[in-house]
Amino acid sequence: MTMSQKCYALLVGINEYHPQSVGVTPLKACLNDVEAMQNLLEKQYVVPTTYIKTLLNKQATRKNIIQNFREHLTANADENTTVLFYYSGHGSRQSLPKAFQKYVAGTSREHRREETLVCYDSRARIGNRWIEKDLADKELAILIKEAAQKNAHIVIILDCCHSGSGTRSKTQTLSQEIQKREVEERAIQDALHRNYLDNYYEQMWEEKGEITLPNSPHILLAGAQKDQSSWETMMGGKRRGVFTYYLEQALLQNPHLTYAELFSLINPRVIGFTEKIYRYQNPQFETYHFFNAHSHFLTGATTSENRKLYGTKMVRSEWRIEQGEVHGLASAETNPTIEWAVYENPKDEGPVALAKTTQVGLDYNVVEVLKGSLNPDQNYLAELRSLPVQQLAIGVNLNPPPADLASPLFKLTEDKTANEQLIIDQEKDNYTITREGIKLVTGKYDSVSRVSKLERIARWHRILDSYNAQPQLFHYEDFPLTFKVVGDDMLAKTVINAQDTLELTSEEGKYFPKQEQRKEENTWAIPYKITAQNLSEYEVYFMLLHLDPFYGIEVYYNGSIPAKTNEIVLAEGYGLFPDEQLTPTIDRFKLIVSTRELHSYLFTQKDIREGFNKPTKRTGQKIPDDWLAKVLEVFTTKK
């Protein structure tokens, strides 16, 4: 596969740490992992050797990692470049300064931690002095921001532990030597005096009196969750990291996978393998600031077809597809003909099986294979083929509707009262999409692209409208969601029940002085903060979605929240901007509360405008799956 754009990679692997390191055991698979990743890049993606920089063992000092990130990745970054940072080695955690704790749920010492990469020299002690510090996740965020400012496509892959609570010993399991990639946390100052990279946060604190984290477009593929261990063992005849091995194997079989497809394939394989050796490792997959999870690995390219494929696997003797109630899928009783086509690879011309939904769960649905056969030890990808009861009605001005615009997600109708309307000229050269009479987008007619946009509209409505009418455990009043205008205590709204609204008036220059108005829209911006509470007796997961008026969806927060959490910041926005086309402009914020962790990439999507760029452990208590959702609609109008 030839890359459609340049790719610069920095690959870091550490088996042997500084001889004076304290509490760090050597690893055996990290150099093999780096070698495998380098071969994958050179042979499968034809990345020139000179574009790949490796730092192995004693080369991987803290200073060298930072310097090479800036000089090899950021210096070569531009809008036609992918930058890849890969790390294989020990991971750890350390105490979190108070200035950052508003972003963390829970008040215990265990919760107030930040993740770190253990560099070659960051645990070495000479006399009474540590010679270096770990590379903290908030420092990596600074490096990512620098590359993102040059509009690069940024990919971060970390195969290390994100927990600091486990041992570092080797154990024998099923005749295989298994080893964790983690070290215990190092005692450091519990205040903002540890000198983060370039004193970035310290200077921000002195200038503004508060800390905000960089939020740059990138994707994170990590070997384990924050409270888990990442394992290495013998795989394929070599010592390998479990996560990197399955990542490499999936991309060797199909280099054209999207990030979402890649994760759907490797996640169950890593979980399944580690469960067999009596361990548990659940990879982490997160997109940040409108990074498109449905673009292709490394290239960032998106196909005109824009097909949505969902992971399919055997769980407890039943086939499950990763679409459920929280994604807006109605029950099998309400919608008895939900049908799927199942593929081995996204590029396959035809499916290997056809299936029908028999049961809809919180975040999955159970299917019965009607035609073809599936291997229980293999993972697949499924495409929705029929959803008749839940099709969104979209008006169209042509009779009959164009046959090339068929989709299981929507149906075209002559109904002129439908909120969304598709207007096509008689020559089928141009089209316009409107909502309630307001023109949203217009352009050249192309059936494949039009279907993609209309499906995004239908999917947006399905996710917005999904709710649980009868939660078993939860009560809406236990999860207050509060929207506040920064600098104006009178403008706030707390959502107690399932839905509420807030009306705002944007006044030019009210919140941002002239020197802060870097862009025209900033003169009308309304700065905001969104917080929430978990007053229940259960540890839960919060996911905060932003559904914008042009049908884009972004995940603003996704994480576990301990029981009795008084308040946590879910989002801090530079500002809501009223759009010239839409009066008022309606931004919707949806909080999903669930007993199960949800994957962000199954919710996110780009809006329908062409070429537009937008500015912990579960408790041991056995509880049933449950969820609820509440929505705040914010109406913004110019004064």
Side-chain angles (χ1 to χ4, degrees):
M1 174 183 177
T2 302
M3 287 281 289
S4 58
Q5 61 180 35
K6 295 178 294 182
C7 176
Y8 284 86
L10 176 59
L11 312 179
V12 180
I14 312 175
N15 281 346
E16 299 290 338
Y17 282 79
H18 193 288
Q20 292 179 275
S21 294
V22 177
V24 181
T25 55
L27 298 168
K28 296 180 180 179
C30 300
L31 301 194
N32 290 338
D33 287 345
V34 167
E35 181 183 11
M37 290 298 295
Q38 183 168 1
N39 289 336
L40 179 74
L41 294 175
E42 291 177 350
K43 296 177 181 178
Q44 195 77 321
Y45 293 94
V46 199
V47 177
T49 303
T50 55
Y51 286 14
I52 303 172
K53 177 75 174 180
T54 62
L55 296 177
L56 307 177
N57 289 339
K58 63 182 180 180
Q59 298 171 332
T61 62
R62 173 185 162 91
K63 179 180 178 180
N64 277 349
I65 293 174
I66 294 170
Q67 181 177 332
N68 279 275
F69 196 110
R70 285 173 163 165
E71 294 181 357
H72 182 68
L73 298 184
T74 304
N76 291 301
D78 59 36
E79 60 185 6
N80 298 312
T81 301
T82 294
V83 297
L84 166 65
F85 176 73
Y86 171 85
Y87 174 86
S88 178
H90 276 305
S92 189
R93 304 180 85 182
Q94 63 189 23
S95 62
L96 188 66
K98 291 181 180 179
F100 292 106
Q101 291 178 6
K102 63 181 179 178
Y103 296 104
V104 179
T107 58
S108 70
R109 181 177 179 273
E110 174 63 25
H111 289 107
R112 293 185 170 180
R113 292 286 176 271
E114 62 183 355
E115 284 65 51
T116 67
L117 304 182
V118 182
C119 309
Y120 170 79
D121 55 348
S122 64
R123 295 304 177 95
R125 192 175 179 90
I126 299 178
N128 294 323
R129 182 178 65 88
W130 298 100
I131 66 174
E132 263 302 354
K133 302 186 292 289
D134 288 354
L135 184 65
D137 55 0
K138 290 163 187 60
E139 295 178 301
L140 187 58
I142 298 170
L143 296 173
I144 293 170
K145 176 187 177 183
E146 293 171 354
Q149 288 173 336
K150 302 179 76 173
N151 298 317
H153 183 82
I154 304 172
V155 182
I156 308 296
I157 303 177
L158 307 177
D159 194 351
C160 59
C161 292
H162 284 218
S163 168
S165 60
T167 65
R168 304 176 304 281
S169 61
K170 303 173 185 177
T171 60
Q172 294 287 335
T173 307
L174 300 181
S175 301
Q176 299 183 76
E177 188 184 56
I178 314 299
Q179 188 174 0
K180 290 183 181 182
R181 291 181 169 181
E182 71 182 357
V183 297
E184 292 178 350
E185 65 181 74
R186 195 179 101 187
I188 59 173
Q189 291 176 292
D190 192 21
L192 197 59
H193 301 297
R194 67 186 56 165
N195 298 322
Y196 281 99
L197 180 61
D198 299 334
N199 290 318
Y200 177 90
Y201 297 110
E202 291 84 351
Q203 291 177 13
M204 184 186 298
W205 179 263
E206 289 180 5
E207 293 172 4
K208 299 183 178 181
E210 65 175 355
I211 298 294
T212 56
L213 300 177
N215 186 18
S216 308
H218 70 281
I219 188 166
L220 169 68
L221 296 168
Q225 301 288 325
K226 293 181 180 180
D227 58 354
Q228 292 178 347
S229 298
S230 190
W231 299 90
E232 64 173 54
T233 187
M234 291 296 296
M235 304 185 74
K238 283 187 175 182
R239 186 85 177 182
R240 296 294 305 277
V242 176
F243 172 69
T244 298
Y245 176 80
Y246 282 114
L247 176 77
E248 175 208 14
Q249 292 301 305
L251 292 170
L252 285 174
Q253 293 173 16
N254 189 345
H256 302 281
L257 293 171
T258 66
Y259 294 100
E261 292 164 351
L262 176 62
F263 186 74
S264 294
L265 289 173
I266 66 175
N267 187 54
R269 293 175 184 174
V270 172
I271 293 174
F273 178 85
T274 53
E275 284 181 339
K276 288 179 181 178
I277 58 175
Y278 305 106
R279 300 292 183 267
Y280 185 73
Q281 180 178 337
N282 182 9
Q284 180 182 352
F285 174 95
E286 291 293 338
T287 58
Y288 297 87
H289 201 58
F290 292 97
F291 186 100
N292 185 4
H294 300 283
S295 61
H296 288 277
F297 180 75
L298 287 190
T299 68
T302 54
T303 61
S304 58
E305 297 173 343
N306 199 34
R307 295 168 63 195
K308 287 281 189 178
L309 299 172
Y310 303 103
T312 305
K313 60 183 178 180
M314 175 70 77
V315 179
R316 300 188 186 94
S317 301
E318 59 186 20
W319 285 103
R320 293 184 179 183
I321 298 174
E322 55 182 3
Q323 284 286 283
E325 293 176 355
V326 293
H327 309 110
L329 204 62
S331 68
E333 293 78 15
T334 304
N335 200 346
T337 52
I338 306 174
E339 297 172 344
W340 306 83
V342 184
Y343 298 84
E344 283 192 275
N345 288 295
K347 291 295 181 180
D348 290 349
E349 292 185 5
V352 294
L354 300 177
K356 175 183 175 181
T357 296
T358 59
Q359 177 187 343
V360 178
L362 187 153
D363 59 347
Y364 66 89
N365 70 98
V366 179
V367 297
E368 174 190 0
V369 177
L370 302 178
K371 184 178 180 180
S373 61
L374 301 177
N375 181 353
D377 296 323
Q378 188 172 341
N379 302 308
Y380 298 89
L381 297 167
E383 179 183 31
L384 185 64
R385 284 290 181 88
S386 175
L387 191 69
V389 174
Q390 288 186 269
Q391 282 186 306
L392 177 71
I394 298 177
V396 66
N397 63 318
L398 298 184
N399 184 21
D404 57 356
L405 295 182
S407 167
L409 298 185
F410 63 83
K411 59 181 177 182
L412 297 178
T413 172
E414 296 180 67
D415 184 2
K416 295 183 179 180
T417 65
N419 285 338
E420 285 85 7
Q421 297 283 328
L422 174 64
I423 303 170
I424 306 171
D425 62 22
Q426 293 299 321
E427 291 75 25
K428 294 183 69 174
D429 290 331
N430 299 287
Y431 79 98
T432 299
I433 297 176
T434 68
R435 181 177 63 239
E436 298 178 350
I438 299 174
K439 184 187 297 185
L440 298 179
V441 293
T442 186
K444 292 290 184 181
Y445 183 86
D446 167 54
S447 62
V448 174
S449 178
R450 298 298 70 73
V451 168
S452 171
K453 290 182 184 294
L454 297 177
E455 286 188 338
R456 269 178 270 171
I457 293 173
R459 195 177 297 114
W460 185 93
H461 277 287
R462 209 171 76 220
I463 289 176
L464 174 64
D465 296 338
S466 67
Y467 75 103
N468 186 359
Q470 295 180 320
Q472 302 175 61
L473 302 171
F474 297 157
H475 303 282
Y476 280 94
E477 59 268 24
D478 286 339
F479 308 101
L481 176 69
T482 301
F483 179 99
K484 303 175 183 177
V485 173
V486 177
D488 195 336
D489 294 337
M490 299 299 293
L491 291 175
K493 173 68 71 172
T494 297
V495 184
I496 301 298
N497 298 313
Q499 187 168 348
D500 212 330
T501 61
L502 173 64
E503 295 185 6
L504 300 177
T505 300
S506 175
E507 185 175 342
E508 187 173 15
K510 180 176 181 180
Y511 293 102
F512 293 97
K514 290 292 183 182
Q515 62 268 25
E516 294 185 32
Q517 295 170 6
R518 296 187 294 272
K519 297 181 180 179
E520 175 64 26
E521 64 263 26
N522 289 355
T523 64
W524 295 95
I526 300 177
Y528 68 91
K529 178 187 293 187
I530 299 176
T531 62
Q533 298 170 268
N534 175 15
L535 305 180
S536 76
E537 60 187 49
Y538 303 102
E539 181 174 9
V540 299
Y541 289 92
F542 278 3
M543 175 179 280
L544 181 67
L545 305 178
H546 174 223
L547 296 96
D548 73 38
F550 290 93
Y551 304 103
I553 304 176
E554 185 179 11
V555 176
Y556 276 6
Y557 186 91
N558 188 9
S560 61
I561 310 294
K564 304 299 182 182
T565 294
N566 188 36
E567 184 177 79
I568 180 173
V569 177
L570 302 185
E572 286 184 294
Y574 190 76
L576 292 178
F577 306 109
D579 192 276
E580 293 289 350
Q581 295 175 250
L582 308 174
T583 303
T585 301
I586 307 175
D587 289 272
R588 294 168 173 87
F589 298 94
K590 179 169 184 173
L591 176 66
I592 300 175
V593 182
S594 69
T595 55
R596 293 166 60 90
E597 181 183 15
L598 305 175
H599 294 309
S600 298
Y601 71 92
L602 294 173
F603 294 86
T604 58
Q605 66 178 29
K606 295 175 65 177
D607 70 34
I608 63 173
R609 290 175 288 182
E610 300 284 358
F612 178 78
N613 292 315
K614 287 196 174 187
T616 67
K617 294 182 180 178
R618 299 283 301 279
T619 63
Q621 181 183 8
K622 184 174 178 59
I623 58 177
D625 288 349
D626 199 12
W627 71 287
L628 60 77
K630 51 179 64 182
V631 175
L632 174 65
E633 295 181 326
V634 181
F635 294 71
T636 308
T637 307
K638 284 187 176 181
K639 181 177 181 181

